[in-house]
């Protein structure tokens, strides 16, 4: 009985405190975004993220996000299943991003701002990539049976070229 009296208020207090301070981003991320995304700060200037979106769409969204945040693209290596980018801000701080195709519908990314870099820059870039994927309506959703994966609005989707501009079909 005593344990219930102590544990229940402690859990309630923990729930109330989770949207505060540095844990807010991690604790509330699932509630704050309708996008099928997971983000995890892994420490030492690194974080990773997974998206329910196709690899090519996330690569294009990453380039658009870098442009929107006015980063300079210093390195771009794109491959069939893996791409890596290095962006630099006006102060010379570097943001490295590795993007991997894990399945046809799952894309994973690792962010690295360095040991002394600003993790919030990596989080902001991840957020902007989410915005870019969402605005292009490239997040996927499954049907009720889970057999088919479709874009949120497949009629309005047009693939983008390497500059993030829609391709003419």
């Amino acid at each position: 009985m005593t344990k219930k009296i102590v544990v229940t208020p402690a859990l309630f207090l923990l729930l109330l405190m989770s949207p505060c301070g540095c844990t807010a981003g991690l604790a509330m991320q699932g509630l704050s975004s309708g996008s099928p995304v997971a983000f995890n700060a892994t420490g030492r200037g690194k974080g990773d993220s997974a998206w329910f979106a196709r690899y090519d769409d996330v690569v294009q969204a990453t380039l658009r996000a870098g442009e929107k945040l006015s980063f300079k693209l210093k390195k771009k290596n794109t491959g069939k299943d893996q791409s890596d980018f290095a962006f630099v801000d006006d102060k010379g701080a570097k943001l490295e991003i590795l993007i991997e195709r894990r399945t046809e519908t799952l894309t994973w990314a690792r962010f690295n701002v360095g040991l002394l870099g600003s993790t919030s820059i990596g989080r902001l870039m991840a957020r902007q990539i989410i915005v870019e994927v969402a605005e292009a309506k490239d997040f996927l959703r499954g049907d009720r049976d889970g057999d088919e994966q479709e874009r949120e609005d497949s009629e309005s989707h047009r693939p983008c070229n390497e500059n993030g501009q829609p391709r003419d079909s």
Side-chain angles (χ1 to χ4, degrees):
M1 182 72 168
T2 305
K3 285 184 181 179
K4 278 188 178 179
I5 293 172
V6 173
V7 171
T8 303
L11 288 174
F12 180 71
L13 184 61
L14 181 63
L15 179 66
L16 287 177
M17 296 293 288
S18 66
C20 302
C22 62
T23 61
L26 300 175
M28 301 306 287
Q29 182 175 12
L31 301 174
S32 65
S33 173
S35 303
V37 174
F39 181 80
N40 182 37
T42 57
R44 298 182 187 225
K46 295 180 182 173
D48 61 14
S49 187
W51 290 288
F52 189 31
R54 290 189 173 85
Y55 166 77
D56 292 333
D57 296 330
V58 174
V59 168
Q60 294 303 318
T62 301
L63 292 170
R64 290 191 308 269
E67 281 183 27
K68 289 253 174 91
L69 295 174
S70 299
F71 283 117
K72 294 176 188 95
L73 182 61
K74 289 293 182 183
K75 180 174 85 171
K76 175 183 168 188
N77 293 325
T78 56
K80 181 181 176 220
D81 293 329
Q82 182 175 315
S83 295
D84 65 299
F85 304 96
F87 294 96
V88 178
D89 68 14
D90 291 343
K91 301 274 187 187
K94 190 188 255 187
L95 168 63
E96 296 175 342
I97 302 174
L98 171 69
I99 301 173
E100 290 183 349
R101 177 192 178 279
R102 293 296 176 100
T103 69
E104 179 64 28
T105 58
L106 174 66
T107 304
W108 175 86
R110 163 73 42 103
F111 300 89
N112 184 359
V113 294
L115 189 58
L116 301 175
S118 171
T119 307
S120 62
I121 298 291
R123 287 182 186 204
L124 180 62
M125 182 65 160
R127 182 199 161 280
Q128 188 61 38
I129 294 170
I130 293 166
V131 168
E132 296 299 324
V133 174
E135 285 180 355
K137 299 184 189 255
D138 287 336
F139 279 117
L140 303 172
R141 62 177 173 79
D143 68 357
R144 299 227 182 248
D145 297 327
D147 295 331
E148 282 185 34
Q149 307 302 326
E150 298 178 8
R151 295 181 189 279
E152 290 180 351
D153 181 8
S154 58
E155 275 81 59
S156 69
H157 174 73
R158 293 188 325 184
C160 295
N161 63 21
E162 63 186 24
N163 297 324
Q165 302 299 319
R167 282 189 223 147
D168 296 325
S169 298

